Amino acid sequence: MHEKSLIIIGAGLAGLSAGCYAQMNDYQSHIFEHHSKPGGLAAAWRRGEYLIDGGIHFLIAHRPGSAIYDVYRELGAVQTTTCVDMDRYMRFVDEASGLKVDFTRDLDKLASDLKRISPDDAKAVDAFIGEARRLKDSPLLMDLGMALPPELKGKLGTLREIWAMRGFMKYFVGGYSKSAAEYARTMHNPFTRVMFENLFSPDGPAWFIIMIVATVAAGQLGLLEGGCPGFILPIEKRYKDLGGQVSYNSTVETVLVENNKAVGVRLEDGTEHKADIVVSAADGRSTIFKMLGGRYINDGVRKQYSNWRTYSPTVMMSFGARRTFPDDPPLNMFLLKHPLKLGSREISCLPLRVFNYSDKFAPQGKTVIQVMLETEWDYWDRLVKDRPKYEAEKERVAAEVLSRLEEHYPGIESQVEMTDVATPQTTWRYTLNHEGSPMGWLMTAETLMAQVPRSLPGLKDFYMAGQWVLPGGGVPSCIYSGRHVVQILCHRDGRFFHTFFP
Ligand SMILES: Cc1cc2nc3c(=O)[nH]c(=O)nc-3n(C[C@H](O)[C@H](O)[C@H](O)COP(=O)(O)OP(=O)(O)OC[C@H]3O[C@@H](n4cnc5c(N)ncnc54)[C@H](O)[C@@H]3O)c2cc1C
């Protein structure tokens, strides 16, 4: 007999994680999910014989030996076949000069390649690679200080954490706390500038790209062999095996509140469901301002939702081609000779994902390739109101992108037999994330230092998890955030927090 019941809104990574830990700790949970399947942003879909992987590019800590890996194991998400090592992170190609640089595990080679291209940037390159080398060997790389939520760290715990991370504090205040774009502007060589700006997101902090380079060098970056389903479906199975209940196609409209205590949810179909505790692992803005009518906020929440910026949404073009790409790394970045236009943005870098590392995405002799471009919500939001124009723009962008790839892969235009274009509207329709944001709040010095509480002021028995309570989102953070909620529940209910491997 379970002691307390829990309703969880959303079956993304955070919701599924909260559900698994709830079940492990004797809370009876029921997840209500808007979409017809689990995963949220970690999404994949079929187009004929092709599997389009529209989420997680790479998994941090895919190998045993870290706290994060143990958490994946608790959720049943990793087995020996889940991942292949991502030894090559990205290849940059400058169309104008033909120069190429591979970001691989070999930091010495990377340093010498970068310095050969731009001797004027040698000092900055040495400093950057030096940091990556230091981080690669640090136990903190695979820890990230997420074992406990801010609510349970206490003053002493927070001080201990600050002390443990003292070597990395400069990342939050010094030159590496700037955005990657700003940091890149300190480089002299234009191609070097583009590389550092686009190693991850130009808007993300520069230290995050050090972290990625360090993670690759440490051999701790993996590619999901079966795409997102290979990671998500085992977690959903673990949840159900633990006795959790999940209802799909069930969109929550309102969180029911009595005497400032959450008591359940009302779905869009009008049905009401009661529970002792409600957890939202869905979009933060719609949770706070729609489902709860904006009644439980303070200056901190108001400031967060008025001032903080979110990651730009993307337009994702996937192509099924009758050809193979045997020598390509999983990610190429082409610096275009002539920028292409998308809304009011000029795109000068074309990132190409190549799904050639597993046979799960396409039949033999065929390959899925994918280009994901940052774009503007308003542009697609206006277009979608005129369906023929919206469809025409999707076709135009996909055709333009393919024609740009022709220079690198002659014949590709005629070899493509499947085209799929997902816009920010698509992301919103399937996940309800504000303006289709793929990772929630931008990581900045301010957002990273802020400790976002997992509850709302004045509302009892209500908690939040997911990318809207941990700036930057991402797989480990979102999974940890679901775990945090159950840790808080166990603490307040005077219970020991249990975990166990399947
Ligand atoms: C293309 C792409 C690539 C990415 N690559 C990486 C990567 O390589 N590595 C990495 O670590 N991270 C990556 N991320 C980020 C990471 O996938 C996300 O941060 C994470 O999956 C978010 O999980 P979540 O559970 O917080 O939110 P979501 O995945 O958004 O889950 C929320 C769920 O709630 C549901 N929901 C919303 N509103 C309601 C409602 N009213 N009623 C019921 N259900 C509702 C939604 O349908 C959704 O299923 C990527 C994201 C994208 C989009």
Side-chain angles (χ1 to χ4, degrees), residues 329-475:
L331 198 51
N332 290 289
M333 186 70 84
F334 298 109
L335 172 56
L336 301 173
K337 264 185 278 193
H338 309 289
L340 64 85
K341 191 117 172 70
L342 183 58
S344 65
R345 292 192 188 199
E346 290 227 318
I347 311 276
S348 53
C349 262
L350 204 68
L352 179 75
R353 274 175 97 180
V354 180
F355 293 84
N356 57 356
Y357 48 86
S358 151
D359 58 7
K360 303 279 194 314
F361 302 106
Q364 216 182 4
K366 301 185 179 185
T367 314
V368 174
I369 56 171
Q370 186 178 77
V371 170
M372 201 169 102
L373 302 176
E374 286 195 356
T375 182
E376 295 140 337
W377 168 259
D378 289 348
Y379 178 65
W380 294 97
D381 192 42
R382 266 194 309 275
L383 275 175
V384 80
K385 296 185 174 90
D386 184 340
R387 206 74 205 186
K389 262 198 190 160
Y390 173 74
E391 295 299 336
E393 179 61 355
K394 280 169 57 169
E395 260 181 53
R396 180 199 71 82
V397 187
E400 168 93 43
V401 161
L402 257 192
S403 74
R404 299 306 184 97
L405 293 177
E406 193 63 37
E407 176 167 340
H408 304 279
Y409 308 97
I412 186 93
E413 282 178 295
S414 62
Q415 291 156 344
V416 162
E417 55 185 23
M418 181 282 297
T419 299
D420 179 273
V421 182
T423 73
Q425 287 289 330
T426 321
T427 308
W428 176 78
R429 197 166 68 246
Y430 287 114
T431 70
L432 300 180
N433 272 296
H434 180 63
E435 299 192 342
S437 180
M439 286 183 294
W441 304 117
L442 257 183
M443 280 189 279
T444 64
E446 185 196 353
T447 63
L448 283 166
M449 294 303 268
Q451 305 266 9
V452 182
R454 310 294 192 260
S455 54
L456 290 174
L459 182 58
K460 277 194 236 120
D461 293 328
F462 178 82
Y463 297 90
M464 288 174 72
Q467 62 179 16
W468 299 98
V469 297
L470 267 163
V475 176

Side-chain angles (χ1 to χ4, degrees), residues 24-173:
M24 289 180 214
N25 286 281
D26 217 20
Y27 294 93
Q28 179 56 51
S29 65
H30 188 155
I31 303 180
F32 291 96
E33 165 56 47
H34 160 74
H35 194 8
S36 56
K37 53 188 181 181
L41 288 161
W45 53 97
R46 283 225 155 260
R47 286 285 177 269
E49 54 188 356
Y50 294 102
L51 175 68
I52 298 176
D53 197 19
I56 309 174
H57 288 94
F58 47 75
L59 190 68
I60 290 178
H62 71 297
R63 286 192 161 275
S66 72
I68 302 175
Y69 182 85
D70 286 345
V71 168
Y72 296 157
R73 265 192 72 200
E74 285 166 4
L75 299 178
V78 279
Q79 294 107 31
T80 46
T81 54
T82 309
C83 289
V84 289
D85 291 333
M86 193 172 188
D87 291 332
R88 294 184 289 174
Y89 174 66
M90 199 188 275
R91 172 178 294 159
F92 279 89
V93 181
D94 181 14
E95 283 189 348
S97 64
L99 282 173
K100 286 183 188 171
V101 176
D102 278 335
F103 280 71
T104 68
R105 292 188 63 175
D106 187 342
L107 292 181
D108 293 335
K109 181 166 185 318
L110 180 59
S112 82
D113 286 352
L114 290 170
K115 286 193 277 190
R116 193 165 9 88
I117 284 174
S118 175
D120 288 348
D121 291 312
K123 210 169 147 206
V125 166
D126 280 338
F128 180 92
I129 298 289
E131 291 297 339
R133 212 171 261 132
R134 210 159 66 84
L135 196 53
K136 163 188 162 270
D137 297 324
S138 162
L140 286 174
L141 177 67
M142 291 292 117
D143 178 339
L144 312 177
M146 289 190 296
L148 285 174
E151 286 86 344
L152 299 188
K153 279 182 190 160
K155 277 205 179 103
L156 199 63
T158 308
L159 283 175
R160 239 187 249 129
E161 191 176 289
I162 291 174
W163 179 249
M165 295 184 72
R166 63 196 179 285
F168 299 99
M169 282 303 151
K170 61 179 175 191
Y171 293 161
F172 298 106
V173 288

